[in-house]
Amino acid sequence: MEETTEIVSDGGDEAAPAADVENGLIEEEKNMDGEVAPALISIHPFEKSVVVAVGSELRLFNLEGNCSVSLIDDPSGPSHSDAIRSINFGPSGKFLASAGDDKLVKIWETSSWHCIRTVSADKRVSAVAISHSGQYVAFADKFGVVWLVGLDEDDAKQTKVDKKAVPILGHYCSIITRLEFSPDERFIASANRDFKIRITVFPKQPLKGAHEIQSFCLGHKDFVSCFAFACPPGCAHGFLFSGSGDSTVRLWDFISGLLLATCEVGAKVGLLQYNGTEDGYPPVTDLCVSSDGSIIAVVTLEDNYFPTSMVLSFSKQRLWMVMGASNLPTLSTTQLPTRIRVMSGFHKDPSDYNGHDPITLEDNEIPGGKKLLSELQGSSDVTMEEAALAAAVKSSMRNMLIKKEYALERREMRKRNRNDRKRR
Amino acid sequence: MPLHATLVFANPRDRSNAEPARFGRHFAPFFFFNGILYEPNRSSSASKPPPTLGRVSFLPVPDRGRVARGIPRRHPGNHSLSSALTTASQNRPRSTVAMSSNADTAQAKSRSGRLPRKRFYRARAHSNPLSDSHFPIPIGPADFDYCHHYPYFFAPGSGGRSDGDAPPRKVRFADIGCGFGGLLVGLSPLFPDTLMLGMELRDKVTEYVKERILALRASNPGHYENISVVRTNSMKYLPNYFEKGQLSKMFFLFPDPHFKEKNHRRRVISLQLLDEYAYALEVGGIIYTITDVEELGDWMRSCLEDHPLFGAVPEEELELDPVVKLLSSATEEGQKVARNGGQTFRAVYRRIKLEEE
């Protein structure tokens, strides 16, 4: 087990050259009132399809059939009208969940791409996760409450709207940034902006509430922006990797909450090329881990091209990245361009590393090729916009990650418009 | 500084918004005339800020408010002129001298065993638990500074070991929202070897409790060494202070009722927060709540009843528990309720293991 631990912490080193090549990545950091919504990407576990969410649009490309697919929404129910903040394929690949600022959680079935369930939430949703068995969908709102919806198998063919979700646990009044089920589905992990990661036991009958807390992973000094589970072979439970605004990636034994290792990503990347205009190191905004924990890709806020979201495809060892955002001030609101890049050349076993660094694939080398790009990017020629897009996205993302201080007059107005009443 | 100055000159007869920087009435230009204090008619609004004086050395007369209110003074032998002079000259510089010097004298006084005076630590009764106040929080329970809080048990540099091979002591009792520290002071002699921690959100009140504890330690050597207070938002940061199953008793005495429905989420007992309290309490640990507001009492009882990790403690056991009597009598709020003849509503529950289905 120590050996895999070493590989895992070397993964941090591997990520640093990856970050070097691409100069940092950004991610789907959620924030209150963020007018700018970063673009998100997610890939089917068996690499059957790729989904990009920008603003309120969900763009889908079927890699197997090499064609674009449109999602068939439920005509009677509401469709996404505001920025989508989180998309997640279930590990089984049967469902896709999308949720966002319009207080809707939509669950799509991946075989027919129908929306099988629309759940309305009280507050804007900031994170969504599907359990491994596909039975439950958990989503978290801005106020720290995690809700659970059961998916019944026999409802798969019909569409249902407004089935009630049950609150199962809550962080006290802090935005939940990421929600994940552990690989064996015994635990559910939630990270929030108050530097905490809470691991809760996921009971057999979760609709009654998940009350027993297994542990807290405390150690970050700033908001926790992202985390991922990894289960190296030979290890019983697996580990948790988490990245945060304090520019570190930490490794935890989540059963006990012990901090096992810390990687100062900001320092490493900063040494390479950081112009140091702000104080402190850049925050880590996204990370993704291969399932056995041998490769970790980490995103930090920096110049040049940086993905607002990325995902690692386990089988083919490719890293898919998307950069883009909605409601950028410089671009018109109807345009929602994004830029997709793919990196490949990751090796599972570092001893096998015969001098090939991970490289970025050219546009026509990407599986799906130009068709995928034109479909998912929203317009065919994005290349010349890239630098401008990058700068705009970067500045908006930077604003999103910091807690906003409102002026006094705005504070009063916000208090008036706040909806705090109990759900009837 | 300017903030303090304007506060001092707020309407002097309005005692409801007391601030510690304000000491009773203050004197605008005054005249001494044959030993009688003559004040010109003062306008009720703040006319102009007091002239800023440099640092004034402290005079030993502590009474500031009493002279102004005409209450006979406690110190014999000080006739009115000199005392008026000293208090007058102390009033204004007091307002401009920073809180730190206040703390210095307070510490000096408490080291001599003098208890702090509550009137100088008045604060609003309500504090917003949702706001992100800036106070230092330990990263994790291991970072909690035991040496600072319990110097008797943890000599600095000894690494927290009190005696030989015994495992380091940890805090076992937690008083959430300890207010002016009444319960801690009452519990301390009952359990002299148990470390207790009070958590309070308001900083002035925390300062008061700190000074009170120091004064008690000074005047009763060897006693009251097991209590301490920390300023923190326990609703957000409880897991930062306590490990899993560390506490054996938790106290929630007369919490803020937050009557409005939109403020119900600020209540300190709720189903979500009980998860965290169940995490910090060991199995078999007891949570004590008491309130004088019936609606809140019902709410707390129903939350505890509905939560799968808490079970009710039977009445017979409560009769035997020495702590239970302190719940309604040890604290300020409790004494006030008793004075007014109000009714209290108690809910005492035990942390149990989750029953497997």
Side-chain angles (χ1 to χ4, degrees):
Chain A
M1 187 158 94
E2 275 54 51
E3 185 195 14
T4 45
T5 316
E6 276 167 16
I7 296 176
V8 148
S9 45
D10 279 343
D13 284 324
E14 226 177 57
D20 179 21
V21 171
E22 276 309 86
N23 291 333
L25 327 170
I26 287 200
E27 67 88 41
E28 40 165 33
E29 173 64 296
K30 289 89 182 169
N31 200 347
M32 10 180 205
D33 260 10
E35 280 87 18
V36 177
L40 310 170
I41 186 170
S42 184
I43 193 166
H44 190 277
F46 310 128
E47 202 152 340
K48 282 191 194 162
S49 45
V50 179
V51 172
V52 167
V54 170
S56 57
E57 280 181 34
L58 269 178
R59 297 174 190 160
L60 185 61
F61 192 84
N62 189 342
L63 284 174
E64 273 189 340
N66 212 11
C67 58
S68 74
V69 181
S70 52
L71 291 162
I72 306 164
D73 204 349
D74 173 20
S76 57
S79 51
H80 279 304
S81 51
D82 203 347
I84 295 180
R85 292 283 176 177
S86 177
I87 52 176
N88 215 332
F89 273 97
S92 59
K94 275 202 294 186
F95 300 110
L96 166 73
S98 64
D101 279 352
D102 50 359
K103 304 184 186 175
L104 287 180
V105 177
K106 279 181 162 294
I107 302 162
W108 314 82
E109 206 203 350
T110 50
S111 49
S112 60
W113 296 108
H114 271 94
C115 169
I116 59 164
R117 183 77 70 86
T118 304
V119 184
S120 63
D122 281 344
K123 309 241 179 211
R124 298 185 192 176
V125 181
S126 56
V128 74
I130 306 184
S131 76
H132 284 249
S133 60
Q135 270 193 309
Y136 298 104
V137 173
F139 61 93
D141 65 11
K142 288 181 1 183
F143 202 64
V145 184
V146 174
W147 305 76
L148 197 70
V149 171
L151 290 178
D152 303 307
E153 281 308 314
D154 40 80
D155 286 337
K157 295 291 176 280
Q158 305 141 16
T159 54
K160 276 217 172 123
V161 180
D162 275 3
K163 182 87 176 288
K164 293 258 193 257
V166 175
I168 57 167
L169 65 98
H171 288 242
Y172 188 67
C173 183
S174 56
I175 300 171
I176 293 192
T177 51
R178 198 67 78 109
L179 193 62
E180 288 289 342
F181 286 88
S182 74
D184 52 2
E185 213 177 315
R186 277 173 60 208
F187 303 103
I188 178 169
S190 45
N192 69 5
R193 247 173 123 263
D194 279 333
F195 330 156
K196 287 205 258 287
I197 304 172
R198 167 174 159 171
I199 316 282
T200 318
V201 173
F202 194 65
K204 309 280 183 306
Q205 302 213 350
L207 289 171
K208 296 204 185 136
H211 289 290
E212 190 172 339
I213 304 180
Q214 174 66 27
S215 67
F216 278 93
C217 295
L218 302 172
H220 276 298
K221 301 197 179 65
D222 208 342
F223 60 86
V224 181
S225 56
C226 46
F227 63 84
F229 283 95
C231 211
C235 168
H237 304 291
F239 300 104
L240 183 69
F241 288 91
S242 63
S244 100
D246 62 357
S247 197
T248 57
V249 171
R250 292 179 199 251
L251 173 64
W252 311 86
D253 169 21
F254 58 86
I255 304 282
S256 59
L258 273 180
L259 174 63
L260 297 173
T262 307
C263 170
E264 299 279 341
V265 169
K268 288 201 175 141
V269 175
L271 287 174
L272 300 173
Q273 42 179 307
Y274 185 55
N275 51 5
T277 43
E278 308 93 27
D279 43 335
Y281 288 116
V284 172
T285 47
D286 196 4
L287 75 97
C288 59
V289 174
S290 66
S291 55
D292 57 354
S294 54
I295 297 163
I296 310 157
V298 175
V299 182
T300 57
L301 188 67
E302 260 202 287
D303 298 314
N304 306 331
Y305 177 84
F306 42 83
T308 46
S309 168
M310 63 178 188
V311 68
L312 199 60
S313 94
F314 313 123
S315 45
K316 308 288 192 329
Q317 295 300 311
R318 270 189 283 264
L319 180 69
W320 294 76
M321 299 175 287
V322 68
M323 170 179 74
S326 68
N327 295 342
L328 289 174
T330 49
L331 305 170
S332 68
T333 47
T334 50
Q335 273 184 312
L336 290 174
T338 62
R339 182 81 182 97
I340 302 202
R341 292 271 188 92
V342 179
M343 285 174 68
S344 92
F346 296 102
H347 299 275
K348 268 201 157 140
D349 193 0
S351 60
D352 198 48
Y353 194 65
N354 38 5
H356 291 295
D357 278 328
I359 51 163
T360 316
L361 299 180
E362 293 302 317
D363 282 357
N364 39 15
E365 287 174 10
I366 301 178
K370 291 268 189 220
K371 265 177 97 172
L372 178 142
L373 286 178
S374 63
E375 168 63 27
L376 295 180
Q377 284 181 166
S379 65
S380 40
D381 54 349
V382 202
T383 44
M384 38 68 152
E385 295 288 339
E386 202 170 318
L389 187 64
V393 172
K394 178 177 184 217
S395 57
S396 347
M397 290 301 295
R398 202 185 289 279
N399 294 340
M400 267 183 56
L401 296 176
I402 310 166
K403 178 177 155 88
K404 276 207 194 149
E405 298 283 331
Y406 293 103
L408 205 56
E409 316 79 43
R410 268 205 79 188
R411 253 187 258 164
E412 295 305 312
M413 199 182 68
R414 281 163 54 78
K415 273 195 211 169
R416 248 177 269 141
N417 296 343
R418 209 163 59 185
N419 170 26
D420 284 326
R421 293 195 195 89
K422 251 198 245 180
R423 200 156 68 127
R424 294 280 162 232
Chain B
M1 268 326 110
L3 180 62
H4 278 281
T6 52
L7 281 175
V8 167
F9 277 85
N11 184 353
R13 281 179 187 76
D14 181 13
R15 291 197 181 92
S16 58
N17 54 345
E19 291 288 323
R22 201 197 70 160
F23 304 108
R25 293 188 350 191
H26 45 271
F27 300 91
F30 55 87
F31 303 97
F32 286 114
F33 190 70
N34 284 346
I36 304 167
L37 214 52
Y38 165 69
E39 291 162 85
N41 43 345
R42 267 199 315 279
S43 60
S44 50
S45 64
S47 43
K48 53 180 196 250
T52 54
L53 294 173
R55 283 191 70 86
V56 174
S57 61
F58 267 106
L59 302 169
V61 177
D63 289 296
R64 286 162 280 266
R66 291 193 169 214
V67 172
R69 285 189 211 134
I71 301 167
R73 294 161 39 73
R74 281 194 346 207
H75 284 260
N78 280 340
H79 81 110
S80 56
L81 176 60
S82 58
S83 56
L85 254 180
T86 50
T87 46
S89 59
Q90 264 189 331
N91 269 336
R92 266 183 296 160
R94 259 319 201 138
S95 68
T96 55
V97 171
M99 250 334 229
S100 57
S101 56
N102 186 10
D104 288 339
T105 48
Q107 276 182 14
K109 273 193 285 188
S110 57
R111 257 180 240 120
S112 68
R114 273 200 68 147
L115 288 171
R117 307 271 301 278
K118 270 196 210 134
R119 77 159 57 100
F120 305 128
Y121 292 91
R122 285 289 173 212
R124 290 177 67 227
H126 304 275
S127 197
N128 186 0
L130 302 180
S131 66
D132 286 337
S133 323
H134 301 286
F135 38 79
I137 309 154
I139 300 282
D143 292 327
F144 182 63
D145 191 357
Y146 281 92
C147 299
H148 170 73
H149 286 276
Y150 308 102
Y152 184 78
F153 292 103
F154 297 88
S158 68
R161 296 227 160 240
S162 48
D163 36 15
D165 308 306
R169 283 174 205 263
K170 296 195 180 148
V171 174
R172 303 287 282 159
F173 292 2
D175 185 0
I176 312 292
C178 63
F180 291 94
L183 181 72
L184 289 173
V185 170
L187 275 177
S188 171
L190 293 183
F191 301 89
D193 284 328
T194 313
L195 296 185
M196 311 179 195
L197 187 67
M199 307 173 95
E200 173 60 50
L201 188 56
R202 301 170 278 176
D203 60 349
K204 298 186 189 85
V205 176
T206 324
E207 288 299 318
Y208 172 84
V209 181
K210 273 190 211 165
E211 299 309 325
R212 185 175 180 185
I213 295 176
L214 287 176
L216 285 170
R217 284 180 183 172
S219 52
N220 305 297
H223 293 89
Y224 300 106
E225 297 287 349
N226 57 341
I227 54 174
S228 184
V229 70
V230 67
R231 186 204 170 195
T232 182
N233 186 344
S234 56
M235 293 158 87
K236 280 195 183 177
Y237 301 118
L238 194 83
N240 290 63
Y241 287 91
F242 305 120
E243 294 169 357
K244 184 170 187 176
Q246 180 175 334
L247 300 175
S248 57
K249 288 195 205 289
M250 281 179 91
F251 298 93
F252 296 85
L253 266 53
F254 301 97
D256 196 332
H258 290 298
F259 291 107
K260 289 190 195 169
E261 206 167 290
K262 71 175 168 98
N263 285 339
H264 280 188
R265 65 182 180 188
R266 298 194 204 173
R267 286 184 168 170
V268 75
I269 298 276
S270 68
L271 274 178
Q272 297 172 11
L273 282 170
L274 281 175
D275 294 350
E276 295 197 3
Y277 304 150
Y279 168 83
L281 270 176
E282 61 185 7
V283 175
I286 304 185
I287 180 169
Y288 298 85
T289 65
I290 189 171
T291 178
D292 56 332
V293 176
E294 183 169 3
E295 196 250 319
L296 182 66
D298 290 339
W299 164 284
M300 295 202 290
R301 181 179 292 274
S302 63
C303 284
L304 283 165
E305 193 61 49
D306 291 341
H307 199 278
L309 294 176
F310 285 100
V313 175
E315 275 300 316
E316 313 82 55
E317 227 182 289
L318 288 183
E319 300 291 316
L320 303 173
D321 194 344
V323 169
V324 170
K325 296 174 202 45
L326 282 182
L327 287 182
S328 41
S329 59
T331 60
E332 290 251 311
E333 277 295 312
Q335 287 159 5
K336 188 172 80 174
V337 169
R339 270 202 304 273
N340 297 339
Q343 211 186 347
T344 57
F345 303 91
R346 208 170 53 193
V348 180
Y349 277 69
R350 167 170 285 129
R351 175 13 172 150
I352 57 178
K353 250 175 123 58
L354 192 62
E355 289 115 20
E356 297 297 321
E357 278 127 42

